[in-house]
Amino acid sequence: MGLTIYCDGEFVPEEEAKVSVFDHGFLYGDGIFEGIRAYHGRVFKLAEHLKRLYESARSIHLDIGLPVAEMERIVIETCRLNQIRDGYIRLVVSRGKGDLGLDPLKCSRAATYCIADQIKLYPPSIYEEGMELRTVAIRRNNPDSLNPRIKSLNYLNNILAKIEANLAGIPEGVLLNQEGYVAECTGDNIFIVQNGVLKTPPGYVGILEGITRNTVLSLAEKRGLKTSQELFTRHDLYTADECFLTGTAAELVPVVKIDGRVIGQGTPGETFKGLLREFRETTLTDGPEIFR
Ligand code: PMP
């Protein structure tokens, strides 16, 4: 059976869920989005995702035209209509239909879309044995040009990095910022464990400040682990005791090799495993229920 999609004001069967060729999300990447997960019949961290969505909108001068409570209802209803207890939700807000010029003022109103489905980014072996990364030549968008804190529909920077890593036979790429500091991966934040301290790059390095990242940081702090948001380099990656990625779609992914160097013992580390256990636990109770 096909999906039911929220498509600019109405729920329709997936065959009828169409976007205009004059939509500026399509023509110019002019829009924003969120990737959200449902776990155990609840929409995980929904409030945090909606906060980021509305902040992205504000940053790009986009009036979503819907109150947050209505957006929340749309997300939950899309899950409910598709019987999603565990799955992945894609919420997209485009500048809407305009003409062929880029002028956003020609777009009369924003258009919202919501899809609830399943997603699988990597095979189970990667989660069990660990992933290999490669640093790519392309640098993360400069925050002065297009701030990575905005979760915009313009993902070419990330896609080019993914292509570069994949062409080298590696599933995921690490992007550095303009100064050569480690920023993030194509759709995930990066963490290392160094001398017992859990480290991740700070927001100002030019990253999307992931909701999974923030969840992991607070879980680590709760269990008394020292955390630090600080600049680090490739050398720090190569010499780390542990490394892992966080993202809504990918969840928590252990990393065991970077640019050919084996990280730590070459297997998922103990800090990672502990945090993964606790992360799974938080998914049991966080977020609004879908089936009330
Ligand atoms: N960085 C980028 C570039 C991303 O696209 C994502 C996925 N949304 C993340 C980091 C991780 O963010 P989150 O944990 O909120 O999914």
Side-chain angles (χ1 to χ4, degrees), residues 33 90 121-122 131 133-141 148 150-152 154-166 170-176 182-190 206-208 245-250:
F33 76 101
R90 174 59 53 92
L121 294 192
Y122 301 113
M131 182 189 248
L133 301 179
R134 177 186 173 97
T135 352
V136 293
I138 192 161
R139 297 291 171 101
R140 189 68 174 108
N141 281 336
I150 304 166
K151 197 162 169 59
S152 85
N154 189 327
Y155 255 54
L156 262 183
N157 181 214
N158 319 56
I159 289 165
L160 292 176
K162 188 80 169 178
I163 290 172
E164 206 184 314
N166 288 170
I170 308 292
E172 184 56 75
V174 182
L175 292 105
L176 308 178
V182 172
E184 60 181 337
C185 291
T186 66
D188 300 303
N189 293 112
I190 190 163
I207 55 168
L208 184 80
L245 310 183
T246 63
T248 298

Side-chain angles (χ1 to χ4, degrees), residues 42-79:
R42 290 173 182 273
V43 185
F44 186 62
K45 301 284 173 195
L46 180 56
E48 287 82 349
H49 282 282
L50 294 181
K51 179 168 185 283
R52 188 169 67 185
L53 182 78
Y54 280 76
E55 284 175 357
S56 290
R58 193 176 281 261
S59 189
I60 70 159
H61 271 273
L62 177 70
D63 176 7
I64 293 180
L66 297 172
V68 180
E70 175 63 7
M71 196 62 88
E72 184 175 333
R73 193 194 68 82
I74 290 167
V75 171
I76 293 171
E77 189 63 6
T78 309
C79 292

